[in-house]
Amino acid sequence: MADNEAPAARREYPPPERHPWHGATWARLITAIDRLPHGLLLYGPPGLGKHDFARRLAWALLCDRPAPAGDACGDCKGCRLLAAGTHPDLAQVAPAEEGKGIGIDQIRALGDFLALRPHTAAHKVALIAPADAMNLHAANGLLKQLEEPPLGSVLILVSDEPARLPATIRSRCAAIQFRPPAGAEALAWLKSRCPGGVGEHEQLLEIAAGAPLLALELGTADFLKQREQLLRDLEAVSARRESPVACAARWQAMGAERCLAWLYGFVAELLQTGLSGAGAVAGAPAYLHPFINRLNFKELFGFLDVVSGSRKLLNGPLDELLLLEDVLIRWSCTARGSSKLS
Ligand SMILES: [Zn+2]
């Protein structure tokens, strides 16, 4: 695509990664590659490689001589243009900046791109990810393009949260659901990609709800060690052995966003376990034990709201350290506010 037509910044050009747990979905789709629906919606939880799958499909559609299994050859003119990020028949639509939405201007530019005949390939391919980042105007604009598809165009939408897409968009796409692979397959893959001590891979997969790429990301970031520190801090603050202010500085150094995301998941897990009855409490993971009998639900729900609100404020004008201090001061009050689960 020429620069003046670009609907969005081009970001990644390496050949798309193939994941073993995509095998059956890939095989099913590739047998029908000549009669693909105009709109495809790849959806499912994060960390399953939906975006890699979407790129793999885009490359396959734009390759001049795909391999027997349907993958791009990596060597033809089309593949070389893809690797250079200059294929004129591929548009990638993504937020211009992290955390921002996809706007109507980007979708209008996409419309202009789709209106032209393919330059070198048999298709025009658009990759819209994350599709749920489209604002309402953008989604309405895309709806028109889905309703009146130019011949040979394929729109691939990727979404972790398809419920955030208008029902009209969803109903005009063929939906392809991605689910976590079987535990043994995920574990074998994770072990091949990241070193870890006894039981660590299993822990990472548990935290990642079985999503291999998310588990890998957590493992690479030394997440388990960080989690130990976070748990120690929460205990120390609730026992008044550590001041929330000192603790907040440490959390800021570890990354405020990551710490608050973890804290949200941790508190949600505490609540879910506590609400599931005595059996669930008895069988809860060891890291919940120091907390689960000391907190009451009402206060914990209130604290979950505090964490959620602080996460939303993180990229705003408020000081990050102050936000963390506020959260940890509230935690110290919550943790002291009650002597047992009620
Ligand atoms: Zn090729």
Side-chain angles (χ1 to χ4, degrees):
M1 175 192 319
D3 281 339
N4 60 354
E5 293 172 358
R10 292 183 294 261
R11 293 176 173 191
E12 319 164 356
Y13 317 128
E17 201 172 344
R18 303 170 199 176
H19 301 297
W21 57 89
H22 289 166
T25 309
W26 178 257
R28 205 169 51 244
L29 206 60
I30 220 68
T31 54
I33 196 152
D34 293 332
R35 47 184 195 284
L36 280 185
H38 173 61
L40 289 167
L41 171 60
L42 315 186
Y43 74 98
L48 298 178
K50 298 184 298 296
H51 194 252
D52 289 333
F53 188 96
R55 291 185 67 239
R56 186 180 174 188
L57 181 60
W59 277 53
L61 284 164
L62 297 173
C63 171
D64 301 334
R65 40 171 198 273
D71 279 296
C73 73
D75 193 40
C76 68
K77 186 181 169 211
C79 285
R80 286 202 300 275
L81 287 168
L82 286 164
T86 54
H87 200 296
D89 296 319
L90 174 67
Q92 299 192 62
V93 184
E97 283 176 51
E98 200 167 333
K100 292 267 163 63
I102 292 173
I104 182 65
D105 289 348
Q106 289 173 274
I107 297 300
R108 283 200 188 111
L110 176 65
D112 295 342
F113 161 80
L114 291 172
L116 299 172
R117 285 167 170 274
H119 284 70
T120 67
H123 302 277
K124 287 233 147 190
V125 180
L127 197 55
I128 305 167
D132 46 67
M134 282 187 292
N135 64 31
L136 193 60
H137 286 311
N140 284 334
L142 187 72
L143 190 58
K144 291 201 185 80
Q145 293 167 21
L146 284 166
E147 282 169 340
E148 298 158 20
L151 199 65
S153 60
V154 179
L155 276 69
I156 308 171
L157 284 68
V158 181
S159 175
D160 293 344
E161 298 178 75
R164 289 176 56 198
L165 285 167
T168 44
I169 295 264
R170 278 181 276 144
S171 69
R172 279 172 179 78
C173 293
I176 300 175
Q177 184 176 14
F178 285 71
R179 294 189 180 89
E185 186 180 11
L187 191 60
W189 181 86
L190 187 61
K191 283 181 172 172
S192 75
R193 292 301 182 98
C194 117
V198 176
E200 281 191 4
H201 295 102
E202 287 85 348
Q203 277 187 58
L204 288 168
L205 277 168
E206 192 181 317
I207 295 165
L213 293 167
L214 186 56
L216 178 64
E217 192 186 323
L218 295 172
T220 310
D222 232 353
F223 177 79
L224 291 177
K225 284 202 184 75
Q226 282 193 3
R227 187 180 69 157
E228 278 172 28
Q229 179 68 53
L230 294 168
L231 287 164
R232 271 201 304 276
D233 284 346
L234 287 183
E235 264 198 274
V237 167
S238 64
R240 303 188 190 202
R241 281 186 276 109
E242 173 84 285
S243 90
V245 173
C247 184
R250 200 157 47 236
W251 285 30
Q252 189 184 29
M254 281 194 273
E257 196 159 356
R258 173 175 286 265
C259 290
L260 287 183
W262 171 82
L263 183 60
Y264 186 88
F266 171 74
V267 175
E269 191 181 2
L270 267 177
L271 277 166
Q272 192 183 16
T273 308
L275 287 167
S276 302
V281 172
Y287 59 85
L288 295 181
H289 289 173
F291 305 96
I292 201 150
N293 288 319
R294 291 217 305 260
L295 300 159
N296 83 36
F297 290 148
K298 198 174 160 203
E299 288 178 8
L300 213 49
F301 271 118
F303 181 68
L304 194 66
D305 283 342
V306 169
V307 179
S308 171
S310 300
R311 289 179 72 192
K312 287 182 190 139
L313 292 172
L314 260 187
N315 294 318
L318 287 178
D319 184 76
E320 192 176 270
L321 185 60
L322 286 177
L323 274 174
L324 286 171
E325 286 174 5
D326 182 53
V327 166
L328 285 161
I329 289 167
R330 305 265 188 134
W331 166 256
S332 72
C333 300
T334 305
R336 285 173 210 160
S338 171
S339 59
K340 67 183 181 73
L341 200 67
S342 59

PDB file of all heavy atoms in Angstrom, residues 59-60 62-67 71-80 82, ligand 1:
ATOM      1  N   TRP A  59      -1.125 -13.557   5.130  1.00  0.00           N
ATOM      2  CA  TRP A  59       0.034 -13.909   4.297  1.00  0.00           C
ATOM      3  C   TRP A  59      -0.346 -15.006   3.301  1.00  0.00           C
ATOM      4  O   TRP A  59       0.046 -14.955   2.133  1.00  0.00           O
ATOM      5  CB  TRP A  59       1.206 -14.379   5.180  1.00  0.00           C
ATOM      6  CG  TRP A  59       2.023 -13.260   5.751  1.00  0.00           C
ATOM      7  CD1 TRP A  59       1.559 -12.197   6.456  1.00  0.00           C
ATOM      8  CD2 TRP A  59       3.448 -13.097   5.667  1.00  0.00           C
ATOM      9  NE1 TRP A  59       2.598 -11.379   6.829  1.00  0.00           N
ATOM     10  CE2 TRP A  59       3.771 -11.902   6.366  1.00  0.00           C
ATOM     11  CE3 TRP A  59       4.483 -13.841   5.095  1.00  0.00           C
ATOM     12  CZ2 TRP A  59       5.079 -11.437   6.485  1.00  0.00           C
ATOM     13  CZ3 TRP A  59       5.789 -13.378   5.224  1.00  0.00           C
ATOM     14  CH2 TRP A  59       6.078 -12.188   5.905  1.00  0.00           C
ATOM     15  N   ALA A  60      -1.106 -16.000   3.784  1.00  0.00           N
ATOM     16  CA  ALA A  60      -1.496 -17.100   2.897  1.00  0.00           C
ATOM     17  C   ALA A  60      -2.340 -16.576   1.734  1.00  0.00           C
ATOM     18  O   ALA A  60      -2.199 -17.027   0.595  1.00  0.00           O
ATOM     19  CB  ALA A  60      -2.269 -18.151   3.688  1.00  0.00           C
ATOM     20  N   LEU A  62      -2.190 -13.659   0.404  1.00  0.00           N
ATOM     21  CA  LEU A  62      -1.459 -12.733  -0.471  1.00  0.00           C
ATOM     22  C   LEU A  62      -0.212 -13.354  -1.097  1.00  0.00           C
ATOM     23  O   LEU A  62       0.449 -12.719  -1.918  1.00  0.00           O
ATOM     24  CB  LEU A  62      -1.076 -11.468   0.321  1.00  0.00           C
ATOM     25  CG  LEU A  62      -2.287 -10.654   0.817  1.00  0.00           C
ATOM     26  CD1 LEU A  62      -1.847  -9.527   1.739  1.00  0.00           C
ATOM     27  CD2 LEU A  62      -3.082 -10.101  -0.353  1.00  0.00           C
ATOM     28  N   CYS A  63       0.096 -14.580  -0.701  1.00  0.00           N
ATOM     29  CA  CYS A  63       1.260 -15.275  -1.278  1.00  0.00           C
ATOM     30  C   CYS A  63       0.921 -15.709  -2.703  1.00  0.00           C
ATOM     31  O   CYS A  63      -0.201 -16.119  -2.986  1.00  0.00           O
ATOM     32  CB  CYS A  63       1.603 -16.489  -0.412  1.00  0.00           C
ATOM     33  SG  CYS A  63       2.840 -17.575  -1.153  1.00  0.00           S
ATOM     34  N   ASP A  64       1.922 -15.644  -3.597  1.00  0.00           N
ATOM     35  CA  ASP A  64       1.689 -16.021  -4.998  1.00  0.00           C
ATOM     36  C   ASP A  64       1.642 -17.533  -5.184  1.00  0.00           C
ATOM     37  O   ASP A  64       1.010 -18.038  -6.095  1.00  0.00           O
ATOM     38  CB  ASP A  64       2.800 -15.443  -5.893  1.00  0.00           C
ATOM     39  CG  ASP A  64       2.853 -13.921  -5.791  1.00  0.00           C
ATOM     40  OD1 ASP A  64       1.801 -13.328  -5.465  1.00  0.00           O
ATOM     41  OD2 ASP A  64       3.934 -13.343  -5.999  1.00  0.00           O
ATOM     42  N   ARG A  65       2.366 -18.263  -4.357  1.00  0.00           N
ATOM     43  CA  ARG A  65       2.352 -19.725  -4.494  1.00  0.00           C
ATOM     44  C   ARG A  65       2.462 -20.388  -3.118  1.00  0.00           C
ATOM     45  O   ARG A  65       3.529 -20.871  -2.716  1.00  0.00           O
ATOM     46  CB  ARG A  65       3.469 -20.210  -5.421  1.00  0.00           C
ATOM     47  CG  ARG A  65       4.786 -19.506  -5.290  1.00  0.00           C
ATOM     48  CD  ARG A  65       5.887 -20.198  -6.081  1.00  0.00           C
ATOM     49  NE  ARG A  65       7.181 -19.768  -5.616  1.00  0.00           N
ATOM     50  CZ  ARG A  65       7.813 -18.684  -6.060  1.00  0.00           C
ATOM     51  NH1 ARG A  65       7.264 -17.928  -6.986  1.00  0.00           N
ATOM     52  NH2 ARG A  65       9.001 -18.360  -5.574  1.00  0.00           N
ATOM     53  N   PRO A  66       1.326 -20.448  -2.412  1.00  0.00           N
ATOM     54  CA  PRO A  66       1.323 -21.019  -1.054  1.00  0.00           C
ATOM     55  C   PRO A  66       1.752 -22.485  -1.045  1.00  0.00           C
ATOM     56  O   PRO A  66       1.572 -23.197  -2.029  1.00  0.00           O
ATOM     57  CB  PRO A  66      -0.138 -20.900  -0.617  1.00  0.00           C
ATOM     58  CG  PRO A  66      -0.789 -19.978  -1.577  1.00  0.00           C
ATOM     59  CD  PRO A  66      -0.001 -20.009  -2.841  1.00  0.00           C
ATOM     60  N   ALA A  67       2.312 -22.910   0.087  1.00  0.00           N
ATOM     61  CA  ALA A  67       2.729 -24.305   0.281  1.00  0.00           C
ATOM     62  C   ALA A  67       1.484 -25.190   0.356  1.00  0.00           C
ATOM     63  O   ALA A  67       0.380 -24.690   0.554  1.00  0.00           O
ATOM     64  CB  ALA A  67       3.538 -24.397   1.572  1.00  0.00           C
ATOM     65  N   ASP A  71       0.203 -22.456   3.876  1.00  0.00           N
ATOM     66  CA  ASP A  71       0.972 -21.321   4.382  1.00  0.00           C
ATOM     67  C   ASP A  71       1.698 -20.587   3.260  1.00  0.00           C
ATOM     68  O   ASP A  71       2.012 -21.167   2.216  1.00  0.00           O
ATOM     69  CB  ASP A  71       2.004 -21.807   5.412  1.00  0.00           C
ATOM     70  CG  ASP A  71       1.370 -22.012   6.765  1.00  0.00           C
ATOM     71  OD1 ASP A  71       0.902 -21.020   7.344  1.00  0.00           O
ATOM     72  OD2 ASP A  71       1.313 -23.169   7.223  1.00  0.00           O
ATOM     73  N   ALA A  72       1.966 -19.320   3.518  1.00  0.00           N
ATOM     74  CA  ALA A  72       2.724 -18.520   2.559  1.00  0.00           C
ATOM     75  C   ALA A  72       4.097 -19.147   2.344  1.00  0.00           C
ATOM     76  O   ALA A  72       4.675 -19.719   3.268  1.00  0.00           O
ATOM     77  CB  ALA A  72       2.867 -17.098   3.093  1.00  0.00           C
ATOM     78  N   CYS A  73       4.622 -19.022   1.103  1.00  0.00           N
ATOM     79  CA  CYS A  73       5.898 -19.675   0.783  1.00  0.00           C
ATOM     80  C   CYS A  73       7.076 -18.933   1.404  1.00  0.00           C
ATOM     81  O   CYS A  73       8.117 -19.517   1.672  1.00  0.00           O
ATOM     82  CB  CYS A  73       6.069 -19.783  -0.730  1.00  0.00           C
ATOM     83  SG  CYS A  73       6.440 -18.204  -1.544  1.00  0.00           S
ATOM     84  N   GLY A  74       6.926 -17.639   1.621  1.00  0.00           N
ATOM     85  CA  GLY A  74       8.009 -16.862   2.227  1.00  0.00           C
ATOM     86  C   GLY A  74       9.035 -16.378   1.218  1.00  0.00           C
ATOM     87  O   GLY A  74      10.003 -15.715   1.582  1.00  0.00           O
ATOM     88  N   ASP A  75       8.832 -16.691  -0.061  1.00  0.00           N
ATOM     89  CA  ASP A  75       9.890 -16.434  -1.034  1.00  0.00           C
ATOM     90  C   ASP A  75       9.417 -15.678  -2.276  1.00  0.00           C
ATOM     91  O   ASP A  75      10.216 -15.080  -2.985  1.00  0.00           O
ATOM     92  CB  ASP A  75      10.488 -17.796  -1.441  1.00  0.00           C
ATOM     93  CG  ASP A  75      11.781 -17.630  -2.206  1.00  0.00           C
ATOM     94  OD1 ASP A  75      12.570 -16.752  -1.807  1.00  0.00           O
ATOM     95  OD2 ASP A  75      11.977 -18.349  -3.202  1.00  0.00           O
ATOM     96  N   CYS A  76       8.121 -15.702  -2.537  1.00  0.00           N
ATOM     97  CA  CYS A  76       7.620 -15.094  -3.782  1.00  0.00           C
ATOM     98  C   CYS A  76       7.615 -13.564  -3.650  1.00  0.00           C
ATOM     99  O   CYS A  76       7.923 -13.013  -2.598  1.00  0.00           O
ATOM    100  CB  CYS A  76       6.214 -15.611  -4.077  1.00  0.00           C
ATOM    101  SG  CYS A  76       4.998 -15.029  -2.881  1.00  0.00           S
ATOM    102  N   LYS A  77       7.217 -12.921  -4.724  1.00  0.00           N
ATOM    103  CA  LYS A  77       7.203 -11.457  -4.698  1.00  0.00           C
ATOM    104  C   LYS A  77       6.241 -10.943  -3.621  1.00  0.00           C
ATOM    105  O   LYS A  77       6.554 -10.023  -2.865  1.00  0.00           O
ATOM    106  CB  LYS A  77       6.773 -10.939  -6.079  1.00  0.00           C
ATOM    107  CG  LYS A  77       6.872  -9.440  -6.194  1.00  0.00           C
ATOM    108  CD  LYS A  77       6.409  -8.970  -7.561  1.00  0.00           C
ATOM    109  CE  LYS A  77       6.260  -7.456  -7.568  1.00  0.00           C
ATOM    110  NZ  LYS A  77       5.209  -6.998  -8.468  1.00  0.00           N
ATOM    111  N   GLY A  78       5.060 -11.598  -3.543  1.00  0.00           N
ATOM    112  CA  GLY A  78       4.074 -11.190  -2.538  1.00  0.00           C
ATOM    113  C   GLY A  78       4.638 -11.309  -1.132  1.00  0.00           C
ATOM    114  O   GLY A  78       4.493 -10.410  -0.303  1.00  0.00           O
ATOM    115  N   CYS A  79       5.299 -12.433  -0.858  1.00  0.00           N
ATOM    116  CA  CYS A  79       5.863 -12.651   0.478  1.00  0.00           C
ATOM    117  C   CYS A  79       6.968 -11.646   0.776  1.00  0.00           C
ATOM    118  O   CYS A  79       7.107 -11.181   1.912  1.00  0.00           O
ATOM    119  CB  CYS A  79       6.389 -14.079   0.611  1.00  0.00           C
ATOM    120  SG  CYS A  79       5.068 -15.296   0.805  1.00  0.00           S
ATOM    121  N   ARG A  80       7.756 -11.319  -0.251  1.00  0.00           N
ATOM    122  CA  ARG A  80       8.840 -10.347  -0.017  1.00  0.00           C
ATOM    123  C   ARG A  80       8.257  -8.962   0.291  1.00  0.00           C
ATOM    124  O   ARG A  80       8.764  -8.236   1.143  1.00  0.00           O
ATOM    125  CB  ARG A  80       9.784 -10.310  -1.222  1.00  0.00           C
ATOM    126  CG  ARG A  80      10.686 -11.553  -1.304  1.00  0.00           C
ATOM    127  CD  ARG A  80      11.940 -11.297  -2.137  1.00  0.00           C
ATOM    128  NE  ARG A  80      11.637 -10.911  -3.504  1.00  0.00           N
ATOM    129  CZ  ARG A  80      11.394 -11.781  -4.505  1.00  0.00           C
ATOM    130  NH1 ARG A  80      11.447 -13.078  -4.279  1.00  0.00           N
ATOM    131  NH2 ARG A  80      11.116 -11.350  -5.711  1.00  0.00           N
ATOM    132  N   LEU A  82       5.383  -8.511   1.706  1.00  0.00           N
ATOM    133  CA  LEU A  82       4.829  -8.621   3.064  1.00  0.00           C
ATOM    134  C   LEU A  82       5.934  -8.456   4.104  1.00  0.00           C
ATOM    135  O   LEU A  82       5.773  -7.752   5.103  1.00  0.00           O
ATOM    136  CB  LEU A  82       4.140  -9.981   3.245  1.00  0.00           C
ATOM    137  CG  LEU A  82       2.785 -10.132   2.544  1.00  0.00           C
ATOM    138  CD1 LEU A  82       2.391 -11.600   2.443  1.00  0.00           C
ATOM    139  CD2 LEU A  82       1.711  -9.340   3.283  1.00  0.00           C
TER     140      LEU A  82
HETATM  141 ZN    ZN B   1       4.814 -16.520  -1.163  1.00  0.00          ZN
END
